[in-house]
Amino acid sequence: MKVKHIYKYLFAAFLVLQLSSCNNDTDAEQKFDQTPTERLNAQKSELNNLLLSSEFGWKAVYFTDNTVLGGYTHLFKFAKDGTVQMASDFDSDTNVYKSEFEIQLGSTVSVVFTTKNRIHLLSESDNYPIAALRAKGYLGDFQFLYYGQENGEIIFKTNRTAKELRFVKATAQDWTDLPKNIDMIDNVVGDDTRPLFRLLETNDGTAKHQFDFSFSDVTRFAEANSIEAGYSVSYNMGVGYTPTGIVVSPAVEVAGQKLTNFVYNDVDGSFTATGTNGVTAIIKYSSKPLVLTDDYKILLPGSANNVYAYIYNITKPEPANSPLFLSLLANAEALAGTGLMITRIQPWFNNPDGTSYIEYRFAAVSNPAVTIARRYHYFTIQSNATNKTVTLVPGVWKSVATAASPAIATPSFLKALDDQFMNPQGLYFAKTPVSGYTAYTFTSTTTPFRMVAYSFQ
């Protein structure tokens, strides 16, 4: 073939390709041809249609910062007129409220809740759960930047902290069941009749590991630390409530599986997350401490004179005080007489004269700094080295702590409270973390009774 014919065919093929290219633009090229404003307007329309598309609106469990706070469930039902109906489990008010929203254009498209509603409770700086969050509130936001959709979920990032938040389609049942989230709180906190000790137990299908477990209902945050030597694993997690249990963030990861949804069992008070191949994580109660200490030995005869005390304006607010202790204390005060309070419950061990007793101090509510009466319950002490407990064996009651003073009848108004200390099955005694002073707890081995005591040593 002559060279001039080859050039002729090549030129024809080139023309065909050019014509084909001009007549068959791809979607990507069409988008590329759009201006930034056109692309943003398209996204705005897309987000608007998405928000309006779900029959029963959208649900989001908002973990504002899962290193210090838990999750708060919000339900949204958007309307064409720019209003939104909203409910949340931020507190016991799960009613539905109406407010306004806008889809705004900026560097990206966002949904903004422009008038006050439940979502704003998480962003008020003067509404904070703990002192560390003073002037920060619950670290929440009310503007969410749109980042597309995945598997039917709308993906947002918070405006201030760029944390991902997903809206999932809500159901009619979600709106009906929202109050059950609030009902679940008591189960997570723990009923007064449940044991005081709690643990997280993981099972990777072959081995189990145990972690002590503590939960703050104020922050909805839980901490779990391994009790096993050489196994330095911890799980710190925000907790959100559901009608059937809890959801946690970050996930509890066991054998590479991320467990987030725990189901409540009312029979034993446990919460269980189930994976595959035998993998589980269970939050459950224990009848005794996970770690038994030798702290009880400092109370034994032959040790120094040690004194501890419940002090009304120092130790009473400590969360480690059990509801049973606080209720027995309140009942004793009510029975003591109108206008009276117990300012101190002060166990004395190994006094110089060889005695030990619990001192109860009374004052007028109107003037708690002035003690108006005292009662002393003498005891001897026994110990159990295996269980690492002490038992206070009851002796006489007195109104003056001297050898010569006569015994008195048991004060009936103190009996129920005092019986917890004199439990024949014994007490656990252990140091407990508090802020600003040293403290120990006296905890019953058989009932959910625990008192935090200031240490004078």
Side-chain angles (χ1 to χ4, degrees):
M1 183 180 293
K2 293 184 179 180
V3 173
K4 66 178 181 179
H5 293 302
I6 293 173
Y7 282 130
K8 188 183 297 182
Y9 288 125
L10 287 174
F11 182 71
F14 176 75
L15 286 175
V16 170
L17 287 173
Q18 289 286 39
L19 289 171
S20 175
S21 174
C22 291
N23 293 328
N24 293 283
D25 289 340
T26 65
D27 291 340
E29 287 169 328
Q30 289 172 4
K31 283 188 175 182
F32 184 77
D33 288 340
Q34 290 180 319
T35 66
T37 300
E38 289 172 334
R39 286 197 297 272
L40 286 174
N41 283 326
Q43 285 185 322
K44 179 179 179 180
S45 178
E46 176 180 292
L47 177 57
N48 183 69
N49 291 337
L50 274 174
L51 294 177
L52 298 176
S53 67
S54 178
E55 180 182 2
F56 299 106
W58 299 88
K59 178 174 73 173
V61 183
Y62 187 7
F63 289 88
T64 58
D65 185 339
N66 63 8
T67 66
V68 290
L69 293 168
Y72 300 85
T73 297
H74 286 74
L75 297 171
F76 310 96
K77 184 68 174 73
F78 298 91
K80 292 180 180 179
D81 63 358
T83 61
V84 57
Q85 296 187 72
M86 190 185 308
S88 84
D89 68 357
F90 177 82
D91 53 28
S92 59
D93 183 2
T94 56
N95 291 326
V96 179
Y97 295 93
K98 191 174 184 179
S99 59
E100 297 177 356
F101 78 97
E102 292 180 1
I103 298 177
Q104 296 184 355
L105 298 181
S107 58
T108 186
V109 174
S110 64
V111 60
V112 184
F113 298 97
T114 52
T115 58
K116 192 171 183 179
N117 208 322
R118 304 292 290 167
I119 193 72
H120 294 84
L121 294 170
L122 296 176
S123 60
E124 296 172 344
S125 61
D126 59 347
N127 179 27
Y128 51 90
I130 54 176
L133 294 176
R134 187 186 304 274
K136 298 178 182 178
Y138 285 79
L139 307 176
D141 211 334
F142 52 87
Q143 180 175 9
F144 305 111
L145 312 181
Y146 177 52
Y147 275 78
Q149 53 182 312
E150 182 180 67
N151 299 324
E153 301 176 353
I154 308 177
I155 305 171
F156 293 102
K157 285 190 178 180
T158 57
N159 181 50
R160 291 188 294 178
T161 58
K163 293 184 181 297
E164 185 178 284
L165 178 66
R166 293 194 174 216
F167 282 21
V168 300
K169 286 187 176 181
T171 66
Q173 199 66 41
D174 287 328
W175 293 86
T176 301
D177 285 350
L178 188 62
K180 294 182 180 180
N181 290 16
I182 304 302
D183 296 338
M184 188 58 60
I185 295 175
D186 287 340
N187 299 325
V188 182
V189 173
D191 188 87
D192 293 357
T193 61
R194 302 287 190 190
L196 292 174
F197 307 105
R198 228 169 183 184
L199 69 144
L200 168 68
E201 183 178 87
T202 62
N203 186 342
D204 63 11
T206 57
K208 294 182 179 180
H209 298 284
Q210 292 187 334
F211 308 77
D212 61 19
F213 181 86
S214 62
F215 173 74
S216 168
D217 60 322
V218 174
T219 57
R220 299 190 182 183
F221 193 75
E223 298 180 2
N225 300 297
S226 174
I227 63 169
E228 303 170 27
Y231 189 73
S232 56
V233 175
S234 296
Y235 296 106
N236 297 328
M237 66 200 91
V239 173
Y241 306 123
T242 73
T244 58
I246 60 174
V247 58
V248 302
S249 176
V252 174
E253 187 165 346
V254 182
Q257 298 183 37
K258 294 184 176 182
L259 306 177
T260 57
N261 293 292
F262 288 72
V263 177
Y264 177 63
N265 180 346
D266 190 50
V267 174
D268 60 9
S270 64
F271 291 82
T272 301
T274 304
T276 58
N277 301 319
V279 169
T280 60
I282 305 174
I283 300 166
K284 61 183 182 179
Y285 289 97
S286 171
S287 60
K288 64 179 183 180
L290 296 184
V291 178
L292 298 175
T293 74
D294 288 330
D295 291 346
Y296 75 100
K297 291 182 178 180
I298 63 179
L299 306 179
L300 302 183
S303 300
N305 178 206
N306 291 317
V307 184
Y308 307 89
Y310 154 82
I311 304 174
Y312 80 96
N313 59 347
I314 296 178
T315 66
K316 188 174 184 179
E318 296 293 349
N321 286 310
S322 72
L324 177 58
F325 163 65
L326 295 173
S327 66
L328 289 173
L329 173 67
N331 289 341
E333 290 177 326
L335 293 172
T338 303
L340 294 180
M341 65 181 294
I342 297 174
T343 57
R344 288 199 185 191
I345 303 171
Q346 190 157 302
W348 298 67
F349 294 87
N350 308 313
N351 295 316
D353 63 359
T355 63
S356 297
Y357 50 71
I358 297 179
E359 174 190 0
Y360 296 88
R361 292 187 191 179
F362 300 87
V365 173
S366 59
N367 190 12
V370 177
T371 299
I372 60 176
R374 289 178 168 89
R375 294 293 183 268
Y376 301 87
H377 193 184
Y378 284 74
F379 62 82
T380 57
I381 190 166
Q382 296 176 351
S383 64
N384 184 313
T386 301
N387 296 332
K388 299 191 175 184
T389 59
V390 293
T391 300
L392 310 187
V393 181
V396 300
W397 282 86
K398 293 187 176 186
S399 59
V400 180
T402 63
S405 63
I408 63 172
T410 300
S412 59
F413 60 91
L414 285 176
K415 187 178 185 307
L417 174 60
D418 188 76
D419 281 350
Q420 296 294 327
F421 295 107
M422 303 297 160
N423 180 357
Q425 302 304 314
L427 302 168
Y428 296 110
F429 177 78
K431 195 172 186 178
T432 190
V434 295
S435 177
Y437 63 98
T438 301
Y440 288 79
T441 53
F442 291 87
T443 306
S444 172
T445 58
T446 58
T447 68
F449 176 90
R450 180 169 55 211
M451 181 186 80
V452 176
Y454 183 101
S455 173
F456 291 94
Q457 289 62 247

